[in-house]
Amino acid sequence: TQLLEQSPQFLSIQEGENLTVYCNSSSVFSSLQWYRQEPGEGPVLLVTVVTGGEVKKLKRLTFQFGDARKDSSLHITAAQTGDTGLYLCAGATGTASKLTFGTGTRLQVTL
Amino acid sequence: GAVVSQHPSRVICKSGTSVKIECRSLDFQATTMFWYRQFPKQSLMLMATSNEGSKATYEQGVEKDKFLINHASLTLSTLTVTSAHPEDSSFYICSASGKWDTQYFGPGTRLTVL
C-alpha cells in the first residue's frame, strides 16, 4: 500500500508568518497534486507538478517536487486568514489515473 | 479550470431507503471518474473508479452491491447508496480525471441517514 505522509498534521499560525508543509513517500509518483479543502466543500486543485526537481509558484505559494519524485513541499509566504483550510497532497502512479492522498495538514491562520 | 458538479449537495433519508448522487463534468469529457468518502477531519478515502461504458472498479472493503456506480456517458457518473443505514452517513465526493492524472473534484454531497 502506498502511503503519503504529510507533516505537520495541524498548524496554527498568525497572519504574516511563513510555513512549510511536507509530503513524503517511499513510492515514486508520475505526478503530484496539491489541493486545498474548506469544510463542507470538495478539494480545490492548487497545482500539479510533474518533473523531478520542479518548482512552481502561485502568488505566495511555492510548490516543489523532489528530485526522485517521492516527496513534495508547499511553502506559504506571509500567510493570510484566507489560507486557512485542509491541505492535501496526492500522488499519481499512472495506473488507472488513481491518486494516493496524503494524510492532510490542517492550517489555521489567525489575526 | 475544469468544473465538476454534484447533486444533491445535501440529502437526508430514512434508514433502508436508497439515495442516488450525480456527478457531472461540465466543460470536459471524463473517461474516468472517481468516488470518495470522507469522514470528519480526515483525508479522502477512494471507494471506486468509474469508467465510462464499463463496470466500476471497487477498492478493497467497499461493497459493490451496496454502492452502485453507473458511468453511462463521458460527463455523468452516478453513485447509488442502496438500503442506506446510519453508518453510511458521510461526505461523498466525486472527481473527474484530466491531464497528468489531475483530478477535479465536485463540491461533495453530505448524506445523513436517520
Side-chain angles (χ1 to χ4, degrees):
Chain A
T1 303
Q2 299 163 323
L3 290 175
L4 267 172
E5 293 288 337
Q6 283 184 239
S7 61
Q9 288 185 318
F10 183 78
L11 190 56
S12 181
I13 60 172
Q14 290 188 316
E15 202 171 51
E17 291 185 40
N18 301 332
L19 67 119
T20 302
V21 178
Y22 298 94
C23 175
N24 294 296
S25 175
S26 58
S27 301
V28 176
F29 296 103
S30 56
S31 67
L32 191 137
Q33 288 84 42
W34 283 93
Y35 297 86
R36 183 173 73 213
Q37 184 182 25
E38 299 194 31
E41 299 180 11
V44 174
L45 178 69
L46 297 175
V47 78
T48 298
V49 285
V50 178
T51 306
E54 181 178 4
V55 176
K56 279 192 174 179
K57 290 192 175 184
L58 184 67
K59 297 183 180 178
R60 294 176 295 101
L61 278 60
T62 302
F63 305 86
Q64 184 163 9
F65 200 13
D67 291 340
R69 306 207 313 276
K70 294 182 180 181
D71 54 83
S72 180
S73 64
L74 157 61
H75 182 79
I76 301 179
T77 303
Q80 299 177 357
T81 55
D83 296 327
T84 294
L86 176 66
Y87 287 81
L88 296 163
C89 64
T93 58
T95 303
S97 303
K98 285 170 61 171
L99 290 180
T100 298
F101 273 86
T103 47
T105 296
R106 192 164 297 277
L107 173 64
Q108 183 174 334
V109 184
T110 57
L111 291 172
Chain B
V3 180
V4 176
S5 69
Q6 265 184 257
H7 178 81
S9 58
R10 294 176 181 270
V11 57
I12 301 173
C13 68
K14 293 182 179 180
S15 186
T17 61
S18 294
V19 174
K20 180 186 282 188
I21 303 170
E22 291 187 350
C23 177
R24 294 180 184 273
S25 57
L26 298 184
D27 53 359
F28 70 106
Q29 292 184 329
T31 306
T32 305
M33 290 184 171
F34 301 86
W35 287 95
Y36 294 85
R37 184 172 179 174
Q38 186 176 34
F39 293 102
K41 297 186 178 181
Q42 292 188 23
S43 188
L44 279 68
M45 183 188 78
L46 178 65
M47 298 175 65
T49 302
S50 171
N51 296 297
E52 187 266 338
S54 63
K55 291 184 179 180
T57 303
Y58 290 82
E59 295 299 300
Q60 192 172 7
V62 178
E63 298 177 59
K64 62 179 181 181
D65 294 330
K66 181 167 187 60
F67 298 99
L68 301 179
I69 292 172
N70 183 272
H71 194 156
S73 76
L74 288 172
T75 59
L76 174 64
S77 176
T78 60
L79 168 68
T80 301
V81 183
T82 62
S83 187
H85 288 94
E87 57 266 30
D88 299 324
S89 298
S90 192
F91 192 53
Y92 292 87
I93 312 175
C94 72
S95 71
S97 183
K99 189 178 179 181
W100 295 116
D101 293 326
T102 296
Q103 291 185 22
Y104 301 92
F105 286 85
T109 297
R110 172 74 58 192
L111 170 63
T112 302
V113 185
L114 302 176

